Amino acid sequence: MKLWGRLPFTTIVLLVILSVLACASKPIPSSVDKVGDIYEIRLQSESEFSSDESSGNSSSRSSLTERVVEINSNGLILEFDLPLDASPEDRAREWQFPARVFRAADGSFALVNAAELKTRNQAWLERGGIEPSNCGRWIFTWTAVKIECDPQSVLQNLEPFDLRVAGLRAGAMYTENSALAAKPLSVTQKNNSGGLSFAATMDIDPEVIRNERAESDVVAAEITGDKPLSLEEALRNRLGDQISGTIKVTTDTDSLGRVVRRVRVYNIETKKENGTVENEEITETVQRELISSK
C-alpha cells in the first residue's frame, strides 16, 4: 500500500520507522466496541525541508477502514481494509488487504489470515511478472517502493493507523522510542470531539534518527545502482551529523474516551560537518471516525 504518496524518499523511510517505534498505550476497554462497528481512519503526512542550499515541501494522504470482527476477554479481532469506495484496480494493486489481526490486551498485533495474504501475494507476483527472487528489493517508480512478499509486513503498515489506545491522564509519563526520555502529559479539559486533549513534547534521540537515515542511505544506494553500501559504512558517513530536535504528540479523545485524533510533529535540525544546517518538520495527523454501527 502506498502510504506515503509524494513524500521524498528519505522522509518516506523516516516516517515508516518513526511510526513503528511509536509508544503503545493500554487498549481501550472492550465495552466501547461492538461487533460490526466500522471506522474510517485517515492519515495525512506533511513535510517541510530547508537548508542553506535548498528547500521544499511535500504531502501524502491515505485511508483504511477498521471493522470489529470479534470481541473476547483477551482482545479484539479487527479487519483492516481499503476504503469502501476502492476500485477493483486499487484492490488488484494492494494484495495486503483485507488483513485480519488479533489485537491483544497489551496492544500487540498478530496476523490472523496470513495464509490468505500469501495466496494473494503469489497471484500479485504472477500478474506483475515479478520473480520471487526480487522479493525484498527496492525499486523507484514515482516514489520508492519495496517489493514486499511477506504477509507479516502488513503489520508495519498498520502501525500509524492504530488509534485504539487509552490510559491517558494528566501527569502520566509518555514516551516514544525515538525520544530521549519520557515527559508528563498535559491535558485540556475539552476539545471539538467532546473529550479531552493530551499533549507531551519530548527531545529527539539523535542516534535513532542517525540510524534511520543510514538505513535510508543503504536503500537509496540499492535503488540507484550505485556501489553497494553497508549499514556500517552508512553510519560512519553520518557520524559527523549533529542532530537535535523535538517530538510533540497531541491525542484527542471523544466523550466515550475513544482516541479520535493524533498529531505527531517532528522538528529535526541537523548540522553537517561542512557547516550546512538542515531543518525538517514532519507532521503526521491520523483521524478516526465511526461510519457504521450495528
Side-chain angles (χ1 to χ4, degrees):
M1 182 177 182
K2 299 179 180 65
L3 298 180
W4 310 113
R6 299 180 298 279
L7 291 174
F9 172 72
T10 53
T11 302
I12 295 170
V13 178
L14 177 62
L15 276 171
V16 171
I17 301 175
L18 287 174
S19 297
V20 171
L21 291 176
C23 172
S25 301
K26 296 179 181 179
I28 61 173
S30 59
S31 59
V32 304
D33 288 298
K34 292 186 295 182
V35 171
D37 282 357
I38 300 176
Y39 294 86
E40 181 182 57
I41 308 174
R42 300 181 297 275
L43 182 150
Q44 177 174 331
S45 298
E46 298 179 341
S47 175
E48 295 185 2
F49 173 86
S50 64
S51 71
D52 300 337
E53 303 169 348
S54 64
S55 64
N57 60 77
S58 57
S59 63
S60 173
R61 292 178 177 83
S62 56
S63 63
L64 290 176
T65 58
E66 175 197 70
R67 181 167 67 91
V68 180
V69 176
E70 182 181 324
I71 302 172
N72 59 52
S73 59
N74 297 317
L76 306 169
I77 293 181
L78 306 170
E79 182 176 83
F80 291 90
D81 201 357
L82 300 181
L84 297 178
D85 60 355
S87 68
E89 292 76 18
D90 291 334
R91 291 198 172 278
R93 285 192 295 266
E94 306 295 353
W95 63 267
Q96 292 176 314
F97 296 94
R100 287 196 175 192
V101 300
F102 175 70
R103 194 183 195 283
D106 63 1
S108 61
F109 276 176
L111 187 61
V112 174
N113 62 336
E116 179 185 341
L117 265 64
K118 186 64 176 178
T119 299
R120 292 205 303 261
N121 174 256
Q122 291 170 346
W124 177 79
L125 291 173
E126 292 173 3
R127 284 197 304 270
I130 302 171
E131 293 295 328
S133 58
N134 288 316
C135 291
R137 295 183 61 84
W138 286 81
I139 60 174
F140 191 87
T141 53
W142 63 290
T143 187
V145 178
K146 185 179 183 182
I147 301 175
E148 191 61 79
C149 302
D150 181 4
Q152 299 296 328
S153 64
V154 70
L155 298 180
Q156 178 172 307
N157 284 347
L158 294 177
E159 286 288 347
F161 289 87
D162 182 23
L163 291 188
R164 194 173 290 275
V165 296
L168 301 170
R169 65 183 186 279
M173 300 302 289
Y174 180 90
T175 190
E176 297 195 357
N177 288 342
S178 49
L180 276 174
K183 296 292 183 179
L185 287 169
S186 61
V187 61
T188 300
Q189 291 303 312
K190 285 291 183 181
N191 59 42
N192 292 336
S193 299
L196 304 178
S197 293
F198 301 87
T201 301
M202 297 146 281
D203 293 327
I204 283 281
D205 184 340
E207 296 310 312
V208 171
I209 304 303
R210 193 187 320 278
N211 275 276
E212 292 163 358
R213 291 175 173 174
E215 291 173 0
S216 298
D217 293 342
V218 171
V219 175
E222 177 184 343
I223 290 176
T224 59
D226 292 342
K227 178 183 176 182
L229 181 68
S230 69
L231 181 58
E232 291 74 17
E233 291 173 316
L235 283 169
R236 284 198 297 270
N237 293 341
R238 289 189 172 273
L239 280 177
D241 293 355
Q242 299 179 39
I243 302 169
S244 60
T246 60
I247 315 164
K248 181 177 180 180
V249 180
T250 304
T251 304
D252 293 343
T253 61
D254 65 10
S255 59
L256 297 178
R258 294 176 293 200
V259 175
V260 294
R261 186 171 185 263
R262 183 189 64 222
V263 181
R264 291 189 179 116
V265 180
Y266 303 89
N267 280 288
I268 306 171
E269 179 183 88
T270 304
K271 296 180 180 179
K272 312 290 287 186
E273 284 187 294
N274 62 5
T276 299
V277 178
E278 299 175 348
N279 289 283
E280 187 170 19
E281 180 176 281
I282 303 170
T283 302
E284 177 194 274
T285 303
V286 186
Q287 295 181 301
R288 181 170 178 261
E289 179 184 358
L290 181 66
I291 59 175
S292 178
S293 182
K294 295 182 179 181

